[in-house]
Coordinates of all heavy atoms in Angstrom, one line a residue:
M1 N 2.6 -2.6 -21.5 CA 3.3 -3.5 -20.6 C 3.0 -3.2 -19.1 O 2.8 -2.0 -18.8 CB 4.8 -3.4 -20.8 CG 5.6 -4.2 -19.8 SD 7.3 -4.4 -20.2 CE 7.8 -5.4 -18.9
S2 N 2.9 -4.2 -18.3 CA 2.8 -4.0 -16.9 C 3.6 -5.0 -16.1 O 4.0 -6.0 -16.6 CB 1.3 -4.1 -16.5 OG 0.9 -5.4 -16.7
I3 N 4.0 -4.6 -14.9 CA 4.7 -5.5 -14.0 C 4.0 -5.6 -12.7 O 3.7 -4.6 -12.1 CB 6.1 -4.9 -13.7 CG1 6.9 -4.8 -15.0 CG2 6.9 -5.8 -12.7 CD1 8.3 -4.1 -14.8
R4 N 3.6 -6.9 -12.4 CA 2.9 -7.1 -11.1 C 3.9 -7.0 -10.0 O 4.9 -7.6 -9.9 CB 2.3 -8.5 -11.2 CG 1.3 -8.8 -10.1 CD 0.0 -8.1 -10.5 NE -1.1 -8.5 -9.6 CZ -2.1 -9.3 -9.9 NH1 -2.2 -9.7 -11.1 NH2 -3.0 -9.6 -9.0
I5 N 3.6 -6.1 -9.0 CA 4.5 -5.9 -7.9 C 3.9 -6.4 -6.6 O 4.7 -6.5 -5.6 CB 4.9 -4.4 -7.7 CG1 3.7 -3.5 -7.5 CG2 5.7 -3.9 -8.9 CD1 4.0 -2.1 -7.2
S6 N 2.7 -6.8 -6.6 CA 2.1 -7.5 -5.4 C 0.8 -8.1 -5.9 O 0.4 -8.0 -7.1 CB 1.8 -6.6 -4.2 OG 0.7 -5.8 -4.5
A7 N 0.1 -8.8 -5.0 CA -1.2 -9.4 -5.4 C -2.2 -8.3 -5.7 O -3.2 -8.6 -6.4 CB -1.7 -10.2 -4.2
T8 N -2.0 -7.1 -5.3 CA -3.0 -6.0 -5.4 C -2.6 -4.8 -6.3 O -3.4 -4.0 -6.6 CB -3.5 -5.5 -4.1 OG1 -2.3 -5.1 -3.4 CG2 -4.2 -6.6 -3.3
L9 N -1.3 -4.8 -6.6 CA -0.7 -3.6 -7.3 C 0.1 -4.0 -8.5 O 0.7 -5.1 -8.5 CB 0.2 -2.8 -6.3 CG -0.4 -2.2 -5.0 CD1 0.6 -1.7 -4.1 CD2 -1.4 -1.1 -5.4
E10 N 0.1 -3.1 -9.5 CA 1.0 -3.3 -10.6 C 1.5 -2.0 -11.1 O 0.9 -0.9 -10.9 CB 0.4 -4.1 -11.7 CG -0.7 -3.4 -12.5 CD -1.3 -4.3 -13.6 OE1 -1.1 -5.6 -13.5 OE2 -1.9 -3.8 -14.5
A11 N 2.7 -2.0 -11.7 CA 3.3 -0.9 -12.4 C 2.9 -1.0 -13.8 O 3.0 -2.0 -14.5 CB 4.8 -0.9 -12.2
R12 N 2.4 0.2 -14.4 CA 1.9 0.2 -15.7 C 2.3 1.5 -16.4 O 2.3 2.5 -15.8 CB 0.3 0.1 -15.6 CG -0.4 -0.1 -16.9 CD -1.9 -0.1 -16.7 NE -2.4 -1.2 -15.8 CZ -3.6 -1.3 -15.4 NH1 -4.5 -0.4 -15.6 NH2 -4.0 -2.3 -14.6
M13 N 2.5 1.4 -17.7 CA 2.8 2.6 -18.4 C 1.4 3.3 -18.7 O 0.5 2.7 -19.3 CB 3.5 2.3 -19.7 CG 4.9 1.9 -19.5 SD 6.0 3.0 -18.6 CE 6.3 4.2 -19.9
V14 N 1.3 4.6 -18.3 CA 0.1 5.4 -18.6 C 0.5 6.7 -19.2 O 1.2 7.5 -18.6 CB -0.7 5.6 -17.3 CG1 -2.0 6.5 -17.6 CG2 -1.1 4.3 -16.6
D15 N 0.1 6.9 -20.4 CA 0.5 8.2 -21.1 C 2.0 8.4 -21.1 O 2.5 9.5 -20.9 CB -0.2 9.4 -20.5 CG -1.7 9.3 -20.7 OD1 -2.2 8.7 -21.7 OD2 -2.4 9.8 -19.8
G16 N 2.8 7.3 -21.3 CA 4.2 7.4 -21.4 C 4.9 7.5 -20.0 O 6.1 7.6 -20.0
E17 N 4.2 7.4 -18.9 CA 4.8 7.5 -17.6 C 4.5 6.2 -16.8 O 3.4 5.7 -16.9 CB 4.2 8.7 -16.8 CG 4.4 10.0 -17.5 CD 5.8 10.5 -17.4 OE1 6.5 10.1 -16.5 OE2 6.2 11.3 -18.3
G18 N 5.4 5.7 -16.0 CA 5.2 4.6 -15.2 C 4.4 5.0 -14.0 O 4.6 5.9 -13.3
R19 N 3.3 4.2 -13.8 CA 2.3 4.5 -12.7 C 2.1 3.2 -11.9 O 2.0 2.1 -12.4 CB 1.0 5.0 -13.2 CG 1.1 6.3 -14.0 CD 1.2 7.5 -13.1 NE 1.2 8.7 -13.9 CZ 2.0 9.7 -13.6 NH1 2.8 9.6 -12.6 NH2 2.0 10.8 -14.3
I20 N 1.9 3.4 -10.6 CA 1.4 2.3 -9.7 C -0.1 2.4 -9.8 O -0.7 3.4 -9.6 CB 1.9 2.4 -8.3 CG1 3.4 2.5 -8.2 CG2 1.4 1.3 -7.4 CD1 4.2 1.3 -8.6
V21 N -0.8 1.2 -10.0 CA -2.2 1.2 -10.1 C -2.8 0.0 -9.3 O -2.1 -1.0 -9.1 CB -2.7 1.1 -11.6 CG1 -2.2 2.3 -12.4 CG2 -2.4 -0.2 -12.2
C22 N -4.0 0.2 -8.9 CA -4.8 -0.9 -8.2 C -5.1 -1.9 -9.3 O -5.6 -1.6 -10.4 CB -6.0 -0.3 -7.6 SG -7.2 -1.5 -7.0
V23 N -4.8 -3.2 -9.0 CA -5.1 -4.2 -10.0 C -6.6 -4.4 -10.2 O -7.1 -4.7 -11.3 CB -4.5 -5.6 -9.6 CG1 -5.0 -6.7 -10.4 CG2 -2.9 -5.5 -9.6
S24 N -7.4 -4.2 -9.2 CA -8.8 -4.5 -9.3 C -9.5 -3.4 -10.1 O -10.4 -3.8 -10.9 CB -9.4 -4.5 -7.9 OG -9.0 -5.5 -7.1
C25 N -9.2 -2.1 -10.0 CA -9.9 -1.1 -10.7 C -9.1 -0.2 -11.6 O -9.6 0.8 -12.2 CB -10.8 -0.3 -9.7 SG -9.8 0.8 -8.7
S26 N -7.8 -0.4 -11.6 CA -6.8 0.5 -12.4 C -6.7 1.9 -11.8 O -6.2 2.8 -12.5 CB -7.2 0.5 -13.9 OG -7.2 -0.8 -14.4
H27 N -7.2 2.2 -10.6 CA -7.0 3.5 -10.1 C -5.5 3.8 -9.9 O -4.8 3.0 -9.3 CB -7.8 3.6 -8.7 CG -7.7 5.0 -8.1 ND1 -8.5 6.0 -8.5 CD2 -6.9 5.5 -7.1 CE1 -8.2 7.1 -7.8 NE2 -7.3 6.8 -7.0
P28 N -5.1 5.0 -10.4 CA -3.7 5.4 -10.2 C -3.3 5.8 -8.8 O -4.1 6.5 -8.2 CB -3.5 6.5 -11.2 CG -4.8 7.1 -11.4 CD -5.8 6.0 -11.2
L29 N -2.2 5.3 -8.3 CA -1.7 5.7 -7.0 C -0.4 6.4 -7.0 O 0.2 6.5 -6.0 CB -1.6 4.4 -6.1 CG -2.9 3.7 -5.9 CD1 -2.7 2.2 -5.6 CD2 -3.8 4.4 -4.9
G30 N 0.0 6.9 -8.2 CA 1.2 7.8 -8.2 C 2.2 7.2 -9.1 O 2.1 6.1 -9.6
P31 N 3.3 7.9 -9.4 CA 4.4 7.5 -10.2 C 5.2 6.3 -9.6 O 5.2 6.2 -8.4 CB 5.3 8.7 -10.4 CG 4.9 9.6 -9.3 CD 3.5 9.3 -8.9
T32 N 5.8 5.5 -10.4 CA 6.5 4.4 -9.9 C 7.8 4.7 -9.1 O 8.3 3.9 -8.4 CB 7.0 3.5 -11.1 OG1 7.7 4.3 -12.0 CG2 5.8 2.8 -11.8
D33 N 8.2 6.0 -9.2 CA 9.4 6.4 -8.4 C 9.1 7.0 -7.1 O 9.9 7.6 -6.5 CB 10.4 7.2 -9.3 CG 9.7 8.5 -9.7 OD1 8.5 8.7 -9.5 OD2 10.4 9.4 -10.2
Q34 N 7.8 7.0 -6.7 CA 7.4 7.6 -5.5 C 6.6 6.6 -4.7 O 5.9 5.7 -5.2 CB 6.4 8.8 -5.7 CG 7.1 9.9 -6.5 CD 8.1 10.6 -5.7 OE1 7.9 10.9 -4.5 NE2 9.2 11.0 -6.3
P35 N 6.6 6.7 -3.3 CA 5.8 5.7 -2.5 C 4.3 5.9 -2.8 O 3.8 7.0 -3.0 CB 6.1 6.2 -1.1 CG 7.4 6.9 -1.1 CD 7.4 7.6 -2.5
W36 N 3.6 4.8 -2.9 CA 2.2 4.9 -3.3 C 1.3 5.0 -2.0 O 0.1 5.4 -2.1 CB 1.8 3.6 -4.1 CG 1.9 2.3 -3.3 CD1 3.0 1.5 -3.3 CD2 1.0 1.7 -2.4 NE1 2.9 0.5 -2.5 CE2 1.6 0.6 -1.9 CE3 -0.3 2.0 -2.0 CZ2 1.0 -0.3 -1.0 CZ3 -0.9 1.2 -1.1 CH2 -0.3 0.1 -0.6
K37 N 1.7 4.6 -0.9 CA 0.9 4.5 0.3 C 0.2 5.8 0.7 O -1.0 5.8 1.1 CB 1.6 3.9 1.5 CG 1.9 2.4 1.4 CD 2.6 1.8 2.6 CE 2.8 0.3 2.4 NZ 3.6 -0.2 3.6
P38 N 0.9 7.0 0.5 CA 0.2 8.2 0.8 C -1.0 8.5 0.0 O -1.9 9.3 0.3 CB 1.3 9.3 0.6 CG 2.6 8.6 0.9 CD 2.3 7.2 0.3
A39 N -1.1 7.9 -1.2 CA -2.3 8.0 -2.1 C -3.4 7.1 -1.7 O -4.5 7.3 -2.3 CB -1.9 7.8 -3.6
A40 N -3.2 6.2 -0.8 CA -4.2 5.2 -0.5 C -5.1 5.8 0.7 O -4.7 6.8 1.3 CB -3.6 3.9 0.0
T41 N -6.2 5.2 0.9 CA -7.0 5.6 2.1 C -6.5 4.7 3.3 O -6.5 3.5 3.2 CB -8.5 5.3 1.8 OG1 -8.9 6.0 0.7 CG2 -9.4 5.7 3.0
L42 N -6.2 5.4 4.4 CA -5.6 4.7 5.5 C -6.7 4.4 6.5 O -7.5 5.3 6.9 CB -4.5 5.6 6.1 CG -3.8 5.1 7.4 CD1 -3.1 3.8 7.2 CD2 -2.9 6.1 8.0
N43 N -6.6 3.2 7.1 CA -7.5 2.8 8.2 C -6.6 2.2 9.2 O -5.9 1.2 9.0 CB -8.5 1.8 7.7 CG -9.6 1.4 8.7 OD1 -9.8 2.2 9.6 ND2 -10.2 0.2 8.6
E44 N -6.5 2.8 10.4 CA -5.7 2.3 11.5 C -6.6 1.7 12.6 O -7.5 2.3 13.0 CB -4.9 3.4 12.1 CG -3.8 3.9 11.2 CD -2.9 4.9 11.8 OE1 -3.4 5.8 12.6 OE2 -1.7 4.9 11.6
L45 N -6.3 0.5 13.0 CA -7.1 -0.3 14.0 C -6.1 -0.7 15.1 O -5.0 -1.1 14.8 CB -7.7 -1.5 13.3 CG -8.5 -1.3 12.1 CD1 -8.7 -2.6 11.4 CD2 -9.8 -0.6 12.4
P46 N -6.6 -0.6 16.3 CA -5.7 -1.1 17.4 C -5.6 -2.6 17.4 O -6.5 -3.3 17.1 CB -6.5 -0.6 18.7 CG -7.9 -0.4 18.2 CD -7.8 -0.1 16.8
M47 N -4.3 -3.1 17.6 CA -4.1 -4.5 17.6 C -4.6 -5.2 18.9 O -4.9 -6.4 18.9 CB -2.6 -4.8 17.4 CG -2.1 -4.6 16.0 SD -2.8 -5.8 14.8 CE -2.1 -7.3 15.3
K48 N -4.6 -4.4 19.9 CA -5.0 -5.0 21.2 C -6.4 -5.6 21.1 O -7.4 -4.9 20.7 CB -5.0 -3.9 22.3 CG -5.3 -4.4 23.7 CD -5.1 -3.3 24.7 CE -5.1 -3.9 26.1 NZ -4.8 -2.9 27.1
G49 N -6.5 -6.9 21.4 CA -7.7 -7.6 21.3 C -8.1 -8.0 19.9 O -9.2 -8.7 19.8
A50 N -7.3 -7.8 18.9 CA -7.6 -8.1 17.6 C -7.8 -9.6 17.4 O -8.6 -10.1 16.6 CB -6.6 -7.6 16.6
G51 N -7.0 -10.4 18.2 CA -7.1 -11.8 18.1 C -7.7 -12.4 19.3 O -7.4 -13.6 19.7
G52 N -8.5 -11.7 20.0 CA -9.1 -12.1 21.3 C -8.2 -11.7 22.4 O -7.3 -10.9 22.3
E53 N -8.4 -12.4 23.5 CA -7.7 -12.0 24.7 C -6.2 -12.5 24.6 O -5.4 -12.0 25.4 CB -8.3 -12.7 26.0 CG -9.7 -12.1 26.3 CD -10.3 -12.7 27.5 OE1 -9.6 -13.2 28.3 OE2 -11.5 -12.6 27.6
V54 N -5.9 -13.4 23.7 CA -4.5 -13.9 23.5 C -3.6 -12.7 23.2 O -2.5 -12.6 23.7 CB -4.5 -15.0 22.5 CG1 -3.0 -15.4 22.2 CG2 -5.4 -16.1 22.9
Y55 N -4.1 -11.8 22.4 CA -3.2 -10.7 21.9 C -3.4 -9.5 22.8 O -4.5 -8.9 22.8 CB -3.5 -10.3 20.5 CG -2.5 -9.4 19.8 CD1 -1.4 -10.0 19.2 CD2 -2.5 -8.1 20.0 CE1 -0.4 -9.2 18.7 CE2 -1.5 -7.3 19.4 CZ -0.4 -7.9 18.8 OH 0.6 -7.1 18.3
T56 N -2.4 -9.2 23.6 CA -2.5 -8.1 24.6 C -1.5 -7.0 24.4 O -1.0 -6.5 25.4 CB -2.4 -8.7 26.0 OG1 -1.2 -9.4 26.1 CG2 -3.5 -9.7 26.3
A57 N -1.2 -6.7 23.2 CA -0.2 -5.6 23.0 C -0.8 -4.3 23.5 O -2.0 -4.1 23.8 CB 0.0 -5.5 21.5
G58 N 0.2 -3.4 23.7 CA -0.2 -2.0 24.2 C -1.2 -1.3 23.2 O -1.3 -1.7 22.0
D59 N -1.8 -0.3 23.7 CA -2.8 0.4 22.9 C -2.1 1.1 21.7 O -2.8 1.5 20.7 CB -3.5 1.5 23.7 CG -4.4 0.9 24.8 OD1 -4.9 -0.3 24.5 OD2 -4.6 1.5 25.8
D60 N -0.8 1.3 21.7 CA -0.2 2.0 20.6 C 0.2 1.2 19.4 O 0.7 1.7 18.4 CB 1.1 2.8 21.1 CG 0.7 4.0 21.9 OD1 -0.4 4.5 21.8 OD2 1.6 4.4 22.7
V61 N 0.0 -0.2 19.5 CA 0.3 -1.1 18.4 C -0.9 -1.1 17.5 O -2.0 -1.4 17.9 CB 0.7 -2.5 18.9 CG1 1.0 -3.4 17.7 CG2 1.9 -2.4 19.8
L62 N -0.7 -0.7 16.2 CA -1.8 -0.6 15.3 C -1.6 -1.5 14.1 O -0.5 -1.9 13.7 CB -1.8 0.8 14.7 CG -1.9 2.0 15.7 CD1 -1.7 3.3 15.0 CD2 -3.2 2.0 16.4
L63 N -2.8 -1.9 13.5 CA -2.8 -2.6 12.2 C -3.2 -1.5 11.2 O -4.3 -0.9 11.4 CB -3.8 -3.7 12.2 CG -4.1 -4.3 10.8 CD1 -2.8 -5.0 10.3 CD2 -5.3 -5.3 10.8
R64 N -2.4 -1.2 10.3 CA -2.7 -0.2 9.2 C -3.2 -1.0 8.0 O -2.5 -1.9 7.5 CB -1.5 0.6 8.9 CG -1.1 1.6 9.9 CD 0.2 2.3 9.5 NE 0.5 3.3 10.4 CZ 1.8 3.8 10.5 NH1 2.7 3.4 9.7 NH2 2.0 4.8 11.4
Q65 N -4.3 -0.6 7.5 CA -4.8 -1.1 6.2 C -4.8 0.1 5.2 O -5.3 1.2 5.5 CB -6.3 -1.5 6.3 CG -6.5 -2.7 7.2 CD -8.0 -3.1 7.3 OE1 -8.9 -2.2 7.3 NE2 -8.3 -4.4 7.4
F66 N -4.1 -0.2 4.1 CA -4.1 0.8 3.0 C -5.1 0.3 1.9 O -4.9 -0.8 1.3 CB -2.7 0.8 2.4 CG -1.7 1.3 3.4 CD1 -1.0 0.4 4.2 CD2 -1.4 2.7 3.6 CE1 -0.1 0.9 5.2 CE2 -0.5 3.1 4.5 CZ 0.2 2.2 5.3
N67 N -6.1 1.1 1.7 CA -7.2 0.8 0.8 C -7.2 1.6 -0.4 O -6.8 2.8 -0.4 CB -8.6 1.0 1.5 CG -8.7 0.1 2.8 OD1 -8.4 -1.1 2.8 ND2 -9.0 0.8 3.9
C68 N -7.6 1.0 -1.5 CA -7.8 1.8 -2.8 C -8.9 2.8 -2.6 O -10.0 2.5 -2.1 CB -8.2 0.8 -3.9 SG -8.5 1.7 -5.5
P69 N -8.6 4.1 -2.9 CA -9.6 5.2 -2.7 C -10.7 5.1 -3.7 O -11.7 5.7 -3.5 CB -8.8 6.5 -2.9 CG -7.5 6.1 -3.6 CD -7.3 4.6 -3.3
S70 N -10.6 4.3 -4.7 CA -11.6 4.1 -5.7 C -12.6 2.9 -5.4 O -13.8 3.1 -5.3 CB -11.0 4.0 -7.1 OG -12.0 3.8 -8.1
C71 N -12.0 1.7 -5.3 CA -12.8 0.5 -5.1 C -12.8 0.0 -3.7 O -13.6 -0.9 -3.4 CB -12.4 -0.6 -6.1 SG -10.8 -1.3 -5.7
G72 N -12.0 0.5 -2.8 CA -12.0 0.1 -1.4 C -11.2 -1.1 -1.1 O -11.1 -1.5 0.1
K73 N -10.7 -1.8 -2.1 CA -9.9 -3.1 -1.8 C -8.7 -2.8 -0.9 O -8.1 -1.8 -1.1 CB -9.5 -3.7 -3.1 CG -8.8 -5.0 -3.0 CD -8.5 -5.6 -4.3 CE -7.8 -6.9 -4.2 NZ -8.6 -8.1 -4.2
V74 N -8.5 -3.7 0.0 CA -7.3 -3.6 0.8 C -6.1 -3.9 0.0 O -5.9 -5.0 -0.6 CB -7.3 -4.6 2.0 CG1 -6.0 -4.5 2.8 CG2 -8.5 -4.2 2.9
L75 N -5.2 -2.9 -0.2 CA -4.0 -3.0 -1.0 C -2.8 -3.6 -0.3 O -1.9 -4.3 -0.9 CB -3.6 -1.7 -1.6 CG -4.7 -1.0 -2.5 CD1 -4.3 0.4 -2.9 CD2 -5.1 -1.9 -3.7
D76 N -2.7 -3.3 1.0 CA -1.6 -3.7 1.8 C -1.9 -3.5 3.3 O -2.8 -2.7 3.6 CB -0.3 -3.0 1.4 CG 1.0 -3.7 1.9 OD1 0.9 -4.8 2.4 OD2 2.1 -3.1 1.7
T77 N -1.2 -4.2 4.2 CA -1.3 -4.0 5.6 C 0.1 -3.9 6.2 O 1.0 -4.5 5.6 CB -2.2 -5.1 6.3 OG1 -1.5 -6.3 6.1 CG2 -3.6 -5.1 5.7
E78 N 0.1 -3.3 7.4 CA 1.4 -3.4 8.1 C 1.0 -3.1 9.6 O 0.0 -2.6 9.9 CB 2.4 -2.3 7.6 CG 1.9 -0.9 7.9 CD 2.9 0.1 7.2 OE1 3.5 -0.2 6.2 OE2 2.9 1.3 7.7
T79 N 1.9 -3.6 10.5 CA 1.7 -3.3 11.9 C 2.7 -2.2 12.2 O 3.8 -2.2 11.6 CB 2.0 -4.5 12.8 OG1 3.2 -5.1 12.5 CG2 0.9 -5.5 12.6
A80 N 2.4 -1.3 13.1 CA 3.2 -0.2 13.4 C 2.9 0.4 14.8 O 1.8 0.1 15.3 CB 3.1 0.9 12.4
L81 N 3.8 1.1 15.3 CA 3.5 1.9 16.5 C 2.8 3.2 16.1 O 3.2 3.7 15.0 CB 4.7 2.2 17.3 CG 5.4 1.0 18.0 CD1 6.7 1.4 18.6 CD2 4.5 0.3 19.0
R82 N 1.9 3.7 16.9 CA 1.2 5.0 16.6 C 2.3 6.0 16.2 O 3.2 6.2 17.0 CB 0.4 5.4 17.7 CG -0.6 6.5 17.5 CD -1.4 6.8 18.7 NE -2.1 5.7 19.2 CZ -3.3 5.2 18.8 NH1 -3.9 5.7 17.8 NH2 -3.8 4.1 19.4
G83 N 2.1 6.7 15.1 CA 3.0 7.8 14.7 C 4.2 7.3 13.9 O 5.0 8.2 13.4
D84 N 4.5 6.0 13.8 CA 5.6 5.5 12.9 C 5.4 5.9 11.5 O 4.2 6.0 11.0 CB 5.7 4.0 13.0 CG 6.5 3.5 14.2 OD1 7.0 4.3 14.9 OD2 6.5 2.3 14.4
P85 N 6.4 6.2 10.7 CA 6.3 6.4 9.3 C 5.8 5.1 8.6 O 6.0 4.0 9.2 CB 7.7 6.8 8.9 CG 8.6 6.3 9.9 CD 7.8 6.3 11.2
F86 N 5.3 5.3 7.4 CA 4.9 4.1 6.7 C 6.1 3.3 6.3 O 7.2 3.8 6.0 CB 4.1 4.5 5.4 CG 2.8 5.2 5.6 CD1 2.3 6.0 4.6 CD2 2.1 5.1 6.8 CE1 1.1 6.7 4.7 CE2 0.9 5.8 6.9 CZ 0.5 6.6 5.9
L87 N 5.9 2.0 6.2 CA 7.0 1.1 5.7 C 6.9 1.2 4.2 O 5.8 1.0 3.5 CB 6.7 -0.4 6.1 CG 6.8 -0.6 7.6 CD1 6.4 -2.1 7.9 CD2 8.2 -0.3 8.1
I88 N 8.0 1.6 3.5 CA 8.1 1.8 2.1 C 8.8 0.7 1.4 O 10.0 0.5 1.7 CB 8.7 3.2 1.8 CG1 8.0 4.3 2.5 CG2 8.8 3.4 0.3 CD1 6.5 4.5 2.1
D89 N 8.2 0.0 0.5 CA 8.8 -1.1 -0.3 C 9.4 -0.4 -1.5 O 8.7 0.4 -2.2 CB 7.8 -2.2 -0.7 CG 7.2 -2.9 0.5 OD1 8.0 -3.1 1.5 OD2 6.0 -3.3 0.4
E90 N 10.6 -0.8 -1.9 CA 11.2 -0.4 -3.1 C 11.3 -1.5 -4.0 O 11.9 -2.6 -3.7 CB 12.6 0.3 -2.9 CG 12.5 1.5 -2.1 CD 13.8 2.3 -2.0 OE1 14.8 1.9 -2.8 OE2 14.0 3.1 -1.1
V91 N 10.7 -1.4 -5.2 CA 10.6 -2.5 -6.2 C 11.2 -2.0 -7.5 O 10.9 -0.9 -8.0 CB 9.2 -3.0 -6.4 CG1 9.1 -4.1 -7.5 CG2 8.5 -3.4 -5.1
D92 N 12.1 -2.7 -8.1 CA 12.7 -2.3 -9.3 C 11.8 -2.6 -10.5 O 11.5 -3.8 -10.8 CB 14.0 -3.1 -9.5 CG 14.8 -2.7 -10.8 OD1 14.3 -1.8 -11.5 OD2 15.8 -3.4 -11.1
V93 N 11.3 -1.5 -11.1 CA 10.4 -1.7 -12.3 C 11.0 -1.0 -13.5 O 10.3 -0.6 -14.4 CB 9.0 -1.1 -12.0 CG1 8.3 -1.9 -10.9 CG2 9.1 0.4 -11.6
S94 N 12.3 -1.0 -13.5 CA 13.0 -0.4 -14.7 C 12.7 -1.1 -16.0 O 12.7 -0.4 -17.0 CB 14.5 -0.3 -14.4 OG 15.0 -1.7 -14.2
A95 N 12.3 -2.4 -15.9 CA 12.0 -3.1 -17.2 C 10.7 -2.5 -17.8 O 10.5 -2.6 -19.0 CB 11.8 -4.6 -16.9
L96 N 9.9 -1.8 -17.0 CA 8.7 -1.2 -17.5 C 9.0 -0.1 -18.6 O 8.4 -0.1 -19.6 CB 7.9 -0.5 -16.4 CG 6.5 0.0 -16.7 CD1 5.6 -1.1 -17.0 CD2 6.0 0.7 -15.5
S97 N 10.0 0.7 -18.4 CA 10.4 1.7 -19.3 C 11.3 1.2 -20.5 O 11.5 1.9 -21.4 CB 11.0 2.9 -18.6 OG 12.2 2.5 -17.9
D98 N 11.8 0.0 -20.3 CA 12.6 -0.6 -21.4 C 11.8 -1.1 -22.6 O 12.3 -1.4 -23.6 CB 13.4 -1.7 -20.8 CG 14.5 -1.3 -19.8 OD1 14.8 0.0 -19.8 OD2 15.0 -2.1 -19.1
S99 N 10.5 -1.3 -22.3 CA 9.6 -1.9 -23.4 C 9.1 -0.8 -24.4 O 9.2 0.3 -24.2 CB 8.4 -2.6 -22.8 OG 7.6 -1.6 -22.0
Ligands
ZN1 ZN1 -9.1 -0.1 -6.8

């Protein structure tokens, strides 16, 4: 059994344990009860100028891309100030262990 938690991630039972995995390549990103973003490859890009001259945010506003360390697919993005902690989504996947 698996539960799709986003367009790029799903919770899946692996060896009797709930794991977050990349949908594209099944690379494991950690247990379902822990944040997965620290297991991803992080790419931080300055937002200043990202949309041309229209976007003139300060140099500390970043676009963070979280990529699969195996296949490289972008798993999620967020905007943040430099040094901010990752935004952590909490998704109820308790139905995974009920099956
Ligand atoms: Zn992948």
Side-chain angles (χ1 to χ4, degrees):
M1 170 168 187
S2 64
I3 298 174
R4 193 75 173 249
I5 59 174
S6 76
T8 56
L9 298 168
E10 70 181 20
R12 188 183 298 169
M13 292 302 284
V14 178
D15 298 328
E17 302 286 334
R19 300 281 184 222
I20 304 293
V21 302
C22 169
V23 168
S24 294
C25 73
S26 298
H27 182 79
L29 296 158
T32 53
D33 62 350
Q34 298 291 320
W36 62 268
K37 286 182 178 176
T41 302
L42 176 63
N43 187 24
E44 290 184 322
L45 308 165
M47 285 293 292
K48 188 172 186 175
E53 294 183 22
V54 176
Y55 195 88
T56 57
D59 291 334
D60 287 339
V61 180
L62 304 172
L63 173 65
R64 289 178 174 160
Q65 292 179 327
F66 297 90
N67 302 308
C68 175
S70 178
C71 71
K73 184 176 178 93
V74 176
L75 301 173
D76 199 4
T77 61
E78 65 187 27
T79 55
L81 293 175
R82 192 178 307 278
D84 274 356
F86 297 158
L87 296 175
I88 303 299
D89 297 324
E90 292 187 16
V91 179
D92 181 3
V93 293
S94 58
L96 188 65
S97 56
D98 294 341
S99 60

